[in-house]
Every structure is written in C-alpha cells, then in structure tokens.
C-alpha cells in the first residue's frame, strides 16, 4: 500500500504541473484582439490586461446581432467609418430619393417657362366686375403674411397662384416670422415670388431700406421688391407727412433698393393714400393697385398698373382662412416676357 501511494503522489504531481502549463497558455490566448471593424470604436486608452484565474472565468455574453439580414457583406462593408458604435441610423431617406409631394406640379426646365395654372379661387365676398372681370386675365397670384399661417404651397399653386408676394418687413425692426419659410416653400412649389415691405412713417427711409436688404435675399429669379404705402389706422404711428415728404421718403427707399437688387421697386397702394399723395407721381415706376369694388381704371383714372389686387376675401385649398387675390395685367406671353426681362 505504501508503494502504490508513492506512485500515486508522483502521478498527481505531474498532472498538476501539466494543468499549470495549460492555464498559462489560456491567459495569453484570451487577451483582447487589436482588430476592429467599422462598428467598433477603439478606446482612447489601452485596454488593461488581467490575469485570468481558474474559477473567475465568466461565460461570454451572446454576440449582438448585426443590423443587416441575409448573407455576410462583402469585405468593403468593413471599410473604416466615422460613425460611432451604436449611433442610430436616420429614418429619413436621402433627399435625392424623395418623390415630389404632388406629381401634378410642373417645374420649369432650366431657362424654360413655368406652366400657368388657371384661376380656381373662390371668394367669400364675390364682386361682379362686369365685362372687365379679373377672371378674364390669365395670370393670377396671391400676397401673404404671417396671418395665413402654415400654407400648403403646392395646393395653392394648383388653385391658380402662379406668383406670390410675401410679407418680409415692417419699418426698421420687424421681420414677418413666416417670411423665410414662405420664401423657401413658394419657390419649391414652382411659384414666382417677391417680397414686400410695409412702410412706416415714423422711421427714416434709409433705416427701412437697410432692414429690408438685410432680411430679403438678392436672388436672380425673384420678382421686384415692393414698397407698400398706405394709411394704417391701427398702426402705433399716427403721423401723416405732407405729400411732398411722403414722396421724398419713398424715393430714398426705392432708390436704395433698386441699387441693391438691380430692379425697380413696385409701388403698392390703396385708393385713399393714392388720392392724397400719389396722383400723377412716379410715372416711371410700376404700380400694384388695390381695388376690390371696381376696375382700377375707375378708381385710379389715368394710372397704368402692373398688378391688381381685386379681393381681400379669397378662399383656396392650401390656406386656412382668407387670402388676398391678385392678377397680372397681360396675357401668358406678356407674363413670360416680363419675368424673363427681370431675371436677365
């Protein structure tokens, strides 16, 4: 029995030494690999190595499933990328792959002519203009401000809005909060668009021109800028300058805009202001006239006009509430020629 016990001790000692050798090999084999893939970001500091002791080894957690399905990707899928591990993939498709919201909208080819959409507006307070109805003119449009809210410009265009004048600024320090959004979206929907400024009689003309220029981009496809001059009983400015002073201030403002934008500004006005200040004045400037009860020739006798605002109570798909309706003084060919001359 003693002899067998000695042999057993020698055998057990050999087994123990062999096990120690295996343990050292496993410690070297399980150190972290230096290989990475595009989904793993190597930490900035080296990973500390730790001796692994038998009994402390924990089962490896299950490997996270890959984000794609199907056969393994080709090697180029593992090219280095800047994206950090776990970064979510945007749910939106690339812009280039987006389909248009309304395939019926036709945009003009480069250097071409945009389609003219026929008048489909309604009116909450329709007026019978007789034989000189604005409906007989081909090119209709709208003017808008913050009060029209969030506009569906695609629907508005298909209703007959071929152009839009968008409220930009008041006085020398107010920007319409919807201007930038309306400016971008009107263009995206294919409308010709321009910006207008509401003139404030208690600020200098130079200040107001600078404010408009600061906020309205100079773009080759934009319509001429507009100065909106009228008496506003709701304004905090109750000043009514003399006709000479009114025209002087307007001239300063318009000259500054014309130098900057390279287009002569359009004058928008209403019957009472025109009667008090503008009859016979500015013969070389285009006019946009408000006349919601009769043809402009009756309200502004002898005055040539470019645009006619014929309704302040228009109704249209794409806009909640009422909207101002306007028309261009000419046919489709006249319109295309006028627009081409502006952008040349």
């Amino acid at each position: 029995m003693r002899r067998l016990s000695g042999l057993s001790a020698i055998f057990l000692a050999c087994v123990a030494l062999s096990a120690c050798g295996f343990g050292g090999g496993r410690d070297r084999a399980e150190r972290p690999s230096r290989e990475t893939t595009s989904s793993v970001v190597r930490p900035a500091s080296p990973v500390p190595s730790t001796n692994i002791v038998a009994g402390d080894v924990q089962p490896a957690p299950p490997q996270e499933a890959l984000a794609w399905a199907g056969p393994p990707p080709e090697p180029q899928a593992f090219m280095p990328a800047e994206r950090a591990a776990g970064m979510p993939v945007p749910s939106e498709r690339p812009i280039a792959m987006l389909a248009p919201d309304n395939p019926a909208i036709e945009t003009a080819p480069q250097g071409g002519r945009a389609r003219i959409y026929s008048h489909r507006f309604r009116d909450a307070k329709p007026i019978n203009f007789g034989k000189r109805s604005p409906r007989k003119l081909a090119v209709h449009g709208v003017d808008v401000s913050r009060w029209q809210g969030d506009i569906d410009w695609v629907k508005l265009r298909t209703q007959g809005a071929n152009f839009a004048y968008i409220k930009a600024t008041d006085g020398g320090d107010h920007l319409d909060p919807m201007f930038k959004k309306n400016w971008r979206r009107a263009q995206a929907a294919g409308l010709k668009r321009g910006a207008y400024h509401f003139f404030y009689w208690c600020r200098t003309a130079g200040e107001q021109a600078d404010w408009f220029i600061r906020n309205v981009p100079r773009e080759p496809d934009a319509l001429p800028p507009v100065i909106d001059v009228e008496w506003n009983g709701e304004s905090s400015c109750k000043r009514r300058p003399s006709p000479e002073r009114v025209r002087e201030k307007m001239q300063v403002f318009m000259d500054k805009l014309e130098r900057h934008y390279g287009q002569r500004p359009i004058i928008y006005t209403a019957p009472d202001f025109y009667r008090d200040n503008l009859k016979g004045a500015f013969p070389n400037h285009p006019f946009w006239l408000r006349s919601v009860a009769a043809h402009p020739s009756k309200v502004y006798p002898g005055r040539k006009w470019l645009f006619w605002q014929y309704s302040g109570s228009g109704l249209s798909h794409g806009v909640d509430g009422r909207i101002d309706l306007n028309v261009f003084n000419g046919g489709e060919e006249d319109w295309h020629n006028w627009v081409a001359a502006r952008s040349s």
Side-chain angles (χ1 to χ4, degrees):
M1 292 293 295
R2 288 180 182 175
R3 187 176 180 180
L4 290 173
S5 297
L7 291 174
S8 297
I10 294 171
F11 176 75
L12 291 173
C14 291
V15 171
L17 288 173
S18 175
C20 290
F22 288 138
R26 183 175 59 188
D27 182 40
R28 289 191 298 271
E30 291 191 6
R31 288 176 182 170
S33 169
R34 298 187 63 83
E35 295 182 13
T36 61
T37 69
S38 61
S39 62
V40 177
V41 175
R42 181 180 297 282
S45 57
V47 178
S49 58
T50 304
N51 290 330
I52 301 176
V53 180
D56 289 342
V57 178
Q58 300 294 327
Q63 186 175 1
E64 183 179 354
L66 294 176
W68 57 82
E74 295 296 326
Q76 59 265 31
F78 292 97
M79 293 296 289
E82 296 291 334
R83 189 174 68 235
M87 180 179 289
V89 177
S91 58
E92 296 181 0
R93 291 174 292 170
I95 293 176
M97 297 178 65
L98 291 175
D101 293 333
N102 189 336
I105 284 291
E106 295 180 10
T107 56
Q110 187 172 5
R113 295 180 170 187
R115 173 182 171 181
I116 299 298
Y117 284 83
S118 59
H119 176 286
R120 296 175 64 187
F121 300 121
R122 293 167 291 123
D123 202 319
K125 297 179 179 181
I127 296 293
N128 183 3
F129 290 97
K131 294 181 180 180
R132 307 190 76 175
S133 169
R135 288 181 174 270
K136 294 186 177 182
L137 293 170
V139 186
H140 291 252
V142 298
D143 61 275
V144 303
S145 68
R146 63 182 297 180
W147 305 113
Q148 276 68 52
D150 197 13
I151 298 171
D152 185 331
W153 285 97
V154 171
K155 286 185 179 179
L156 186 59
R157 186 185 176 199
T158 58
Q159 292 292 293
N162 298 287
F163 65 88
Y165 265 101
I166 301 168
K167 171 73 171 294
T169 50
D170 278 35
D173 56 8
H174 178 73
L175 174 67
D176 189 290
M178 293 294 290
F179 171 69
K180 292 182 179 179
K181 184 176 183 179
N182 285 334
W183 187 257
R184 293 192 307 267
R185 292 193 172 183
Q187 182 187 40
L191 284 81
K192 299 298 297 183
R193 83 277 192 258
Y196 74 89
H197 171 84
F198 189 88
F199 202 86
Y200 190 65
W201 300 105
C202 295
R203 294 291 289 265
T204 69
E207 287 177 308
Q208 297 187 65
D210 290 341
W211 179 243
F212 184 89
I213 290 169
R214 176 178 170 182
N215 288 284
V216 177
R218 180 172 55 188
E219 298 179 359
D221 64 337
L223 298 179
V226 166
I227 175 175
D228 178 343
V229 286
E230 51 187 299
W231 300 133
N232 182 7
E234 299 178 2
S235 173
S236 60
C237 176
K238 305 302 181 185
R239 185 180 302 170
R240 292 195 175 191
S242 68
E244 294 76 19
R245 183 62 175 153
V246 163
R247 293 191 288 267
E248 180 185 337
K249 290 171 74 74
M250 289 176 61
Q251 190 72 65
V252 170
F253 180 88
M254 292 189 295
D255 286 350
K256 202 161 191 177
L257 262 61
E258 185 170 355
R259 287 193 298 270
H260 180 76
Y261 294 101
Q263 300 195 68
R264 179 157 294 178
I266 297 170
I267 300 170
Y268 169 91
T269 194
D272 57 343
F273 189 91
Y274 179 86
R275 181 189 62 243
D276 293 345
N277 302 282
L278 299 178
K279 188 180 297 183
F282 301 113
N284 297 319
H285 280 76
F287 272 74
W288 174 11
L289 303 175
R290 176 176 174 82
S291 183
V292 297
H295 190 271
S297 61
K298 295 183 178 180
V299 183
Y300 307 85
R303 172 61 70 179
K304 294 181 179 180
W305 54 274
L306 182 67
F307 292 113
W308 169 19
Q309 186 183 85
Y310 61 87
S311 175
S313 54
L315 302 171
S316 174
H317 295 301
V319 180
D320 293 330
R322 301 180 182 185
I323 190 170
D324 292 338
L325 303 179
N326 303 273
V327 70
F328 172 75
N329 189 12
E332 287 192 26
E333 188 68 19
D334 299 315
W335 168 258
H336 289 307
N337 291 338
W338 182 75
V339 167
R342 308 281 75 72
S343 57
S344 60

